Amino acid sequence: MNAEPGEKHIIIGTAGHVDHGKTQLVKRLTGIDTDRLKEEKERGISIELGFAPLRLPSGLLAGLVDVPGHERFVKHMLAGASGIDLVLLVVAADEGVMPQTREHLDIIHLLGIPRGLIVITKKDLVDEELLLLVEEEVRETVQGTILAEAPLLAVSALTGEGIPELLAAIDQVGREVREKEAAGRARLPIDRVFSITGFGTVVTGTLFSGRLRVGTAVEILPEGLTSRIRTLQVHGHKVDTASAGQRVAVNLSGLAVADIARGSVLAEPGWLQPSFRLDVHLELLPHVAKPLKNWTRVRFHLGTKEALGRVLLLEAEELEAGRHGYAQLVMEEPVVADRRDRFVLRAYSPMVTIGGGSVIDPVPPKRKRFQEEVIAGLATRERGTPEEILLQYLLQQRGLVKAEEAESSSGLSSAELEQAVRELAGEERIIRLTLEGQRFLVHPEVYVTWQEELRELLEQFHRQHPLRAGISKEEVRSRLFKQIPVKTFNALLQIWGELGGIEQTGQILARHGFRPHLPQEQQAAVERLLAIYEQSGWQPPSWLEAAVQAGIPEREQEEVLAYLLQQRRLIKMADDLLITAERLAEGKRQIEEFLQQQEAVTIAEARDLLGSSRKVVLPLLEYLDREKVTRRVGDKRVRF
Ligand code: GDP
Ligand code: MG
């Protein structure tokens, strides 16, 4: 019985107390003895543990997973339950509801298995009256759970009574099952690892989402191993592709059985990330004996994985029976989860199911307790629309987020993300930027804050350093935009430059329209300084002398000098030889005039002409040479 490509597959699981007739029922429905298969598993890859395919009357293809019911097998029940679409809760008519019936029901409820049927078995062993009593008891037990409204049927696997009706009922409910996300990315929680001579390592599990294809690369997490799919089997047949909902055996190349553990995840590479922490919405079962205290050690079950960890209650001192709240699970080993995954918690000892819930953030940061912002954030991630979730994610990131990065970390599927971006962009509630060919998303609040911070920084800088042209780009980046790469930052500045807020000259940034200027309180001192230079004629003082005499404080001297040079009020003719622009123009005029009457001018003549010294005149003449006013011939100067 092979599946057609693209055909819907549903997985049906059995649950219920030991010896209540689950295996017998599966055998009656499918003709396969899952107990016998277990013994025959050595025979080869085609034999799937406790698994039996079933073609329903309508043609719908189902796979039955027969899960053992004994207490010590609850673990296996949990493992088998990953990926179950429809559960058959089996209760023997002669015994009624038993402890494991209740625990399995709890697990079904906590895992949110979408649909189910209640099957009273061994109908042949009781009379009508007792059957009614058992039915009543079961109905009472399932009250308030996912199975509260589930159809209830009584059958005998021995005589076959009620079996056609049961098949019809399964068919009916099965058709209502929503198909698994074959479009999503492939994830297979591994429930068995073994090796077959001549084939190598094989893993099995129910394909939770996406597709697997022969020849493609996969990764095993949390081990972080990569491999390639050598062959694939679905329902015991070799196939090229397997899709969500199918029971799959995957033959992996290059890996040893010892490399992989049951409980690990086989996935399309690059989208899942192991984590020691999970943010979750947690629900404590109504009938637990005592409240759950913060930091209690628990057994965590997700997919086929069991791990030990502790519960950090984020919004309560302790969680009472039947109550729910947000928590961070802190594991003792890394686990692999996706947003919305359901999990179950069992007490460390005794090993009873106490609660469960759903994953909100599979790779969260370390959380502190009782933080309003954290709790509000989790509520949005849990219940918000994709738009709300995206906005909150962008706000938390406080920066430019690459579009691909948003896809892998926001918890939204690519379709949800695309839709959310479109909606938000239409309402101008998100900013999309393409920088250096890379697509980015930014929360408008973050974007506006950035611009404000930059404006503020420039203003502050201009106030503090009115004599300087502006602040260096690198300083701005290291102070405000450290997390943004240089290239991206430059691209961002370009956009802001075009918007008109800032001006960029070389490596210097300034507020648009800013010009360096002398602040009022410095004006008098600078006037004094220039007067000192003017009065000293061709015997200018050193910069330090002049500055001290003019009363310019030491910390301002460097900046004032840079400003005066930049403004060309003072000209630097040689090291520590400054002269006012007016004096220089005057000197130039006098030399030119001299050269109109004389052929040439010597250093001594120039010194006498200006009433200066050799120390000043030599640099002056060299300056005029550079300015192409004079030209040196031997030790004289002639007109250029
Ligand atoms: P499981 O542990 O739930 O898988 O239970 P099994 O399917 O192994 O059944 C336990 C015992 O109950 C076996 O001896 C079965 O033959 C018997 N049994 C199962 N179904 C029926 C039934 O409908 N009628 C009767 N009389 N016996 C049944
Ligand atoms: Mg059994």
Side-chain angles (χ1 to χ4, degrees):
M1 182 169 40
N2 220 335
E4 298 299 320
E7 194 181 348
K8 179 167 139 183
H9 315 273
I10 62 164
I11 300 286
I12 302 174
T14 61
H17 202 75
V18 67
D19 280 344
H20 276 203
K22 297 180 292 297
T23 301
Q24 200 64 43
L25 181 67
V26 170
K27 190 175 168 193
R28 184 47 100 160
L29 290 170
T30 67
I32 290 171
D33 185 343
T34 50
D35 273 353
R36 232 193 59 220
L37 289 179
K38 241 185 289 181
E39 288 142 31
E40 293 176 358
K41 71 180 177 197
E42 289 82 16
R43 274 204 348 212
I45 187 171
S46 66
I47 295 169
E48 180 58 66
L49 187 69
F51 181 81
L54 169 66
R55 183 70 80 176
L56 290 159
S58 71
L60 178 65
L61 187 65
L64 258 99
V65 186
D66 183 22
V67 210
H70 192 275
E71 152 64 20
R72 69 193 156 95
F73 287 129
V74 171
K75 260 211 269 210
H76 299 111
M77 147 100 202
L78 279 162
S82 79
I84 287 176
D85 302 298
L86 190 163
V87 68
L88 303 179
L89 181 66
V90 171
V91 184
D94 58 338
E95 280 197 340
V97 173
M98 295 294 279
Q100 274 75 60
T101 317
R102 289 185 198 278
E103 184 159 30
H104 287 193
L105 182 61
D106 286 340
I107 293 169
I108 290 163
H109 175 73
L110 292 169
L111 290 178
I113 293 175
R115 291 182 189 274
L117 287 140
I118 299 159
V119 187
I120 312 277
T121 53
K122 309 194 188 182
K123 185 182 177 188
D124 56 287
L125 292 182
V126 297
D127 57 24
E128 198 62 25
E129 204 178 334
L130 199 55
L131 186 64
L132 280 173
L133 276 176
V134 172
E135 284 183 10
E136 218 168 280
E137 187 194 15
V138 175
R139 277 279 175 226
E140 222 165 273
T141 310
V142 299
Q143 251 179 40
T145 74
I146 276 174
L147 296 185
E149 305 296 324
L152 184 149
L153 293 102
V155 304
S156 167
L158 197 70
T159 66
E161 197 189 343
I163 295 295
E165 291 84 351
L166 177 59
L167 275 170
I170 294 174
D171 208 350
Q172 170 79 35
V173 177
R175 270 175 288 155
E176 292 164 14
V177 168
R178 213 162 50 98
E179 208 171 344
K180 287 205 184 68
E181 225 190 305
R185 283 170 290 195
R187 175 161 62 136
L188 179 100
I190 296 170
D191 55 24
R192 211 155 64 99
V193 187
F194 53 95
S195 137
I196 291 170
T197 327
F199 281 91
T201 302
V202 175
V203 299
T204 62
T206 302
L207 189 54
F208 212 82
S209 58
R211 283 175 197 284
L212 292 178
R213 196 167 283 112
V214 170
T216 55
V218 289
E219 68 184 353
I220 310 285
L221 297 169
E223 291 86 344
L225 301 168
T226 52
S227 177
R228 197 159 289 281
I229 300 177
R230 194 184 280 157
T231 60
L232 272 177
Q233 281 204 1
V234 169
H235 297 180
H237 295 269
K238 257 185 114 157
V239 292
D240 288 330
T241 61
S243 52
Q246 291 181 321
R247 288 285 307 166
V248 192
V250 188
N251 180 205
L252 294 169
S253 67
L255 293 180
V257 170
D259 294 337
I260 311 169
R262 165 204 168 89
S264 295
V265 174
L266 178 149
E268 199 177 307
W271 71 284
L272 289 171
Q273 216 182 310
S275 169
F276 278 92
R277 297 167 181 280
L278 297 175
D279 282 347
V280 300
H281 183 255
L282 179 65
E283 172 187 348
L284 203 62
L285 287 168
H287 49 75
V288 291
K290 49 183 192 211
L292 180 73
K293 289 205 165 56
N294 182 51
W295 209 242
T296 301
R297 198 168 185 222
V298 292
R299 298 171 191 277
F300 165 86
H301 296 262
L302 189 151
T304 56
K305 178 75 178 176
E306 179 188 0
L308 287 169
R310 290 183 185 273
V311 183
L312 185 74
L313 294 172
L314 294 177
E315 50 177 343
E317 267 320 323
E318 55 177 33
L319 203 58
E320 279 165 49
R323 305 301 292 266
H324 54 84
Y326 294 115
Q328 179 163 80
L329 302 180
V330 183
M331 300 298 165
E332 292 171 22
E333 59 178 303
V335 295
V336 180
D338 193 12
R339 186 171 160 247
R340 295 202 189 97
D341 278 356
R342 309 288 301 214
F343 65 90
V344 166
L345 294 184
R346 304 188 82 212
Y348 181 68
S349 170
M351 283 212 285
V352 291
T353 303
I354 55 168
S358 61
V359 174
I360 300 171
D361 189 341
V363 192
K366 196 170 172 173
R367 301 282 189 207
K368 285 203 192 100
R369 305 178 68 202
F370 305 113
Q371 305 284 303
E372 244 168 74
E373 207 186 283
V374 169
I375 292 159
L378 290 176
T380 306
R381 280 196 83 154
E382 188 192 9
R383 293 191 296 264
T385 62
E387 289 81 38
E388 287 165 335
I389 292 169
L390 177 60
L391 284 178
Q392 184 195 289
Y393 170 76
L394 293 176
L395 201 54
Q396 265 174 3
Q397 297 301 305
R398 295 235 136 256
L400 285 176
V401 177
K402 285 184 190 160
E404 310 91 78
E405 206 175 296
E407 197 180 317
S408 60
S409 326
S410 66
L412 297 173
S413 71
S414 57
E416 282 175 324
L417 184 76
E418 218 170 279
Q419 168 80 14
V421 169
R422 240 199 331 271
E423 295 260 319
L424 292 169
E427 299 164 18
E428 298 187 344
R429 288 167 65 206
I430 195 171
I431 291 173
R432 287 184 294 181
L433 296 171
T434 304
L435 306 174
E436 299 281 310
Q438 172 85 54
R439 291 199 312 131
F440 289 95
L441 302 172
V442 201
H443 194 288
E445 228 172 86
V446 174
Y447 194 72
V448 167
T449 307
W450 273 353
Q451 287 177 304
E452 275 168 8
E453 281 172 350
L454 176 60
R455 249 198 309 272
E456 178 62 30
L457 180 66
L458 291 178
E459 282 308 330
Q460 193 192 331
F461 190 88
H462 291 329
R463 253 196 323 275
Q464 271 171 14
H465 307 281
L467 300 172
R468 287 203 218 164
I471 185 168
S472 92
K473 232 162 62 172
E474 193 41 43
E475 188 172 346
V476 171
R477 198 179 77 86
S478 72
R479 281 174 59 173
L480 296 181
F481 302 98
K482 229 187 184 121
Q483 75 283 24
I484 302 176
V486 178
K487 266 180 118 176
T488 317
F489 176 60
N490 284 336
L492 206 56
L493 285 179
Q494 172 120 27
I495 292 180
W496 289 344
E498 280 158 16
L499 291 176
I502 55 166
E503 240 167 58
Q504 190 176 334
T505 317
Q507 293 302 304
I508 299 296
L509 296 179
R511 185 220 325 126
H512 179 76
F514 174 80
R515 293 290 166 264
H517 57 275
L518 263 181
Q520 207 119 47
E521 62 273 20
Q522 279 182 343
Q523 256 163 26
V526 168
E527 288 312 321
R528 273 199 302 279
L529 181 102
L530 291 171
I532 288 165
Y533 271 103
E534 200 43 56
Q535 280 153 23
S536 52
W538 286 104
Q539 314 269 357
S542 77
W543 163 252
L544 196 61
E545 273 167 11
V548 169
Q549 208 185 326
I552 296 171
E554 203 186 321
R555 59 181 146 62
E556 289 173 11
Q557 287 172 6
E558 198 188 319
E559 221 154 84
V560 169
L561 176 59
Y563 169 75
L564 291 173
L565 289 175
Q566 194 241 336
Q567 297 286 307
R568 298 191 64 80
R569 302 285 297 272
L570 284 180
I571 311 294
K572 186 173 182 169
M573 289 202 308
D575 258 0
D576 205 21
L577 182 58
L578 298 166
I579 198 159
T580 63
E582 294 80 15
R583 174 71 50 188
L584 179 65
E586 175 60 18
K588 179 180 160 197
R589 193 191 58 74
Q590 280 179 277
I591 299 286
E592 275 174 331
E593 206 177 85
F594 186 90
L595 284 176
Q596 258 153 36
Q597 277 128 45
Q598 312 288 326
E599 207 37 37
V601 63
T602 64
I603 292 167
E605 283 167 339
R607 182 195 59 202
D608 295 343
L609 180 68
L610 301 175
S612 182
S613 65
R614 210 184 142 79
K615 199 182 105 210
V616 175
V617 166
L618 190 61
L620 172 66
L621 291 173
E622 281 166 359
Y623 180 85
L624 294 177
D625 290 345
R626 285 198 300 276
E627 292 285 296
K628 298 191 163 61
V629 175
T630 55
R631 186 161 57 88
R632 188 176 162 182
V633 178
D635 54 3
K636 295 181 178 173
R637 255 72 183 183
V638 297
R639 244 183 299 164
F640 189 81

